[in-house]
Amino acid sequence: MNEKKRRIQALLAALALSACAAYGVNQATGSSTRTVYAQGEYVEQLSGVSSPFADVAQVVMPCVVGVSNRANTYSIVSGQTELVEQATGSGVVITTQGHVVTNYHVVEGANDVQVLWQGQYLQAEIIGVDELTDLAVLRVTEDVTLPAVRMGQANEVRVGDWAIVIGNPLGSQLADTVTVGVVSAVDREIDSSTIVKMLQTDAAINSGNSGGGMFNTRGELIGIPSLKFSSSGSRSEASIEGIAMAIPMDVVQPVVESLIQYGKVTRPKLGISVLTLRGSEEPTDGMIPAGVYVSTVSEGSPAQKAGIRADDIILKVDGRRVLRHTDLTGLIAGKRAGETVTLTICRIPGLSELTVRDAVPRGEIIETTVTLEVPEEKEAS
């Protein structure tokens, strides 16, 4: 063997020894522990870590169903009216009696509803809907026992918590899809037409996810996915990614309970029209405080009986600070007829007549107790 060949063999042997050291070969058993080089030292690579998402999915996936909205449609081919699927969404089983919560917009206009559970379609009926919160409750009418989900507590949800979304994006073809993100924000106010303050998440929510479940890592239901923000991608519009909304459980639970018990949601009213007023956090001289501005007061309403006037600014409900109209409506919606609430209001003389150049006079702070009533339903003519 010439000198050059001996040097090559020696080099290969040295490399083999280095490889054994790097991979920690056990000469007795032949097993090895892979290591990686980091920060100047060899460290043991992390072995497989059990995923909390997999555990949650395994437990709660049987509680999530697809929802098929079918409507009567005239067929030119057959010359008959047929039931045709016009929309699909998702739902969550909330009782072992077969009650399923979903979004109102998923079942809107339905003549027939079915739920897709474990690969089979089951007939269901609509128990009640609430357009204001975009919620609906169905009940499976077939003789089958469905597992019910565990409800979470809204006040325990924090920004940064894991958010696990399960539903049927794009219908049955992608049934039982799991996506993961975090709770990006709580108490998101979307528009002035709803009392709902949303949970924001960056977990992927697509068409068909509506009405499904958003869960924490304990497998508890913390929200019902309802909408997402998207863009067309044109240069004239902002590029939007990872912004989706879910209805929190402090909104879902009382609505669901009312729909199951009564088939509808009856909410007590103050009898006022309101707007969110941006201003100073606390009442001060020369500043208009932030709160809920009363634009009108209905004749004979509980608010009028309690002495509330147009131009009043509601600051607190039962001692809790309210800065937006949804703070007020959300607190009142959780009450029952006959209950009383104490409103703290700021009354600024001539508020509606003030201009930007006028000095703001000091407001009077007033507390008044209001007995809530449910408005009488007008009979259809």
Side-chain angles (χ1 to χ4, degrees):
M1 183 181 297
N2 59 37
E3 185 65 22
K4 181 178 181 181
K5 190 172 182 178
R6 282 196 297 272
R7 287 200 304 269
I8 292 174
Q9 287 180 336
L11 178 61
L12 291 174
L15 290 173
L17 288 173
S18 297
C20 289
Y23 280 84
V25 176
N26 186 319
Q27 300 294 339
T29 64
S31 63
S32 64
T33 303
R34 179 178 173 84
T35 58
V36 293
Y37 196 71
Q39 298 179 353
E41 296 179 356
Y42 281 103
V43 294
E44 185 171 320
Q45 184 177 6
L46 291 175
S47 59
V49 178
S50 177
S51 166
F53 314 131
D55 295 336
V56 170
Q58 183 177 3
V59 171
V60 305
M61 195 171 287
C63 305
V64 180
V65 300
V67 177
S68 175
N69 174 334
R70 305 199 301 170
N72 291 321
T73 303
Y74 179 76
S75 172
I76 299 177
V77 177
S78 65
Q80 297 178 340
T81 299
E82 301 175 352
L83 279 173
V84 177
E85 186 175 77
Q86 63 175 357
T88 61
S90 304
V92 182
V93 182
I94 52 174
T95 74
T96 53
Q97 289 74 47
H99 292 101
V100 175
V101 62
T102 186
N103 286 139
Y104 164 74
H105 75 258
V106 170
V107 298
E108 183 179 5
N111 298 118
D112 181 83
V113 176
Q114 293 184 330
V115 301
L116 175 63
W117 178 70
Q118 303 289 285
Q120 59 179 321
Y121 280 96
L122 305 173
Q123 199 63 40
E125 62 180 349
I126 299 175
I127 296 297
V129 301
D130 184 47
E131 186 175 358
L132 189 60
T133 55
D134 192 29
L135 291 169
V137 173
L138 317 175
R139 186 177 70 85
V140 174
T141 56
E142 299 190 28
D143 187 17
V144 59
T145 300
L146 305 181
V149 77
R150 179 184 296 175
M151 302 283 196
Q153 298 297 318
N155 59 5
E156 295 180 358
V157 179
R158 302 175 304 165
V159 173
D161 282 346
W162 287 114
I164 306 166
V165 173
I166 303 178
N168 295 359
L170 306 182
S172 59
Q173 184 179 1
L174 299 178
D176 300 329
T177 291
V178 179
T179 56
V180 175
V182 297
V183 176
S184 305
V186 298
D187 293 341
R188 276 293 191 230
E189 186 175 316
I190 305 304
D191 59 58
S192 60
S193 64
T194 176
I195 67 170
V196 178
K197 292 187 290 184
M198 298 283 196
L199 295 176
Q200 181 184 331
T201 180
D202 64 345
I205 293 178
N206 296 290
S207 298
N209 271 117
S210 292
M214 186 165 81
F215 302 89
N216 59 23
T217 51
R218 294 192 297 271
E220 297 167 336
L221 184 67
I222 60 173
I224 302 296
S226 181
L227 59 92
K228 71 169 186 173
F229 289 81
S230 61
S231 62
S232 64
S234 64
R235 293 186 179 180
S236 60
E237 296 185 14
S239 177
I240 300 171
E241 184 177 349
I243 301 179
M245 301 291 167
I247 306 168
M249 295 313 296
D250 59 342
V251 174
V252 174
Q253 284 189 279
V255 170
V256 162
E257 290 171 2
S258 183
L259 290 177
I260 291 175
Q261 187 170 0
Y262 304 110
K264 62 180 181 179
V265 178
T266 55
R267 297 184 176 89
K269 304 289 185 181
L270 289 172
I272 56 179
S273 298
V274 297
L275 299 168
T276 295
L277 183 64
R278 311 292 181 183
S280 172
E281 184 78 13
E282 297 298 333
T284 57
D285 288 339
M287 298 288 290
I288 297 176
V292 182
Y293 173 76
V294 179
S295 56
T296 61
V297 180
S298 300
E299 187 73 25
S301 66
Q304 187 190 52
K305 295 174 185 177
I308 296 176
R309 306 174 189 173
D311 292 343
D312 283 347
I313 303 170
I314 300 175
L315 304 177
K316 297 179 181 179
V317 177
D318 290 335
R320 294 180 61 177
R321 187 73 166 94
V322 292
L323 297 173
R324 297 167 292 188
H325 76 279
T326 49
D327 296 332
L328 172 66
T329 52
L331 290 171
I332 298 302
K335 302 290 185 179
R336 293 180 174 85
E339 289 189 71
T340 61
V341 293
T342 299
L343 301 184
T344 303
I345 63 175
C346 178
R347 183 171 293 163
I348 300 175
L351 176 61
S352 60
E353 305 299 325
L354 294 177
T355 69
V356 293
R357 295 183 179 181
D358 294 331
V360 179
R362 183 177 181 83
E364 179 185 5
I365 304 299
I366 302 170
E367 282 195 357
T368 182
T369 300
V370 184
T371 302
L372 299 174
E373 301 174 8
V374 175
E376 294 183 4
E377 295 185 4
K378 295 181 180 179
E379 295 183 3
S381 55

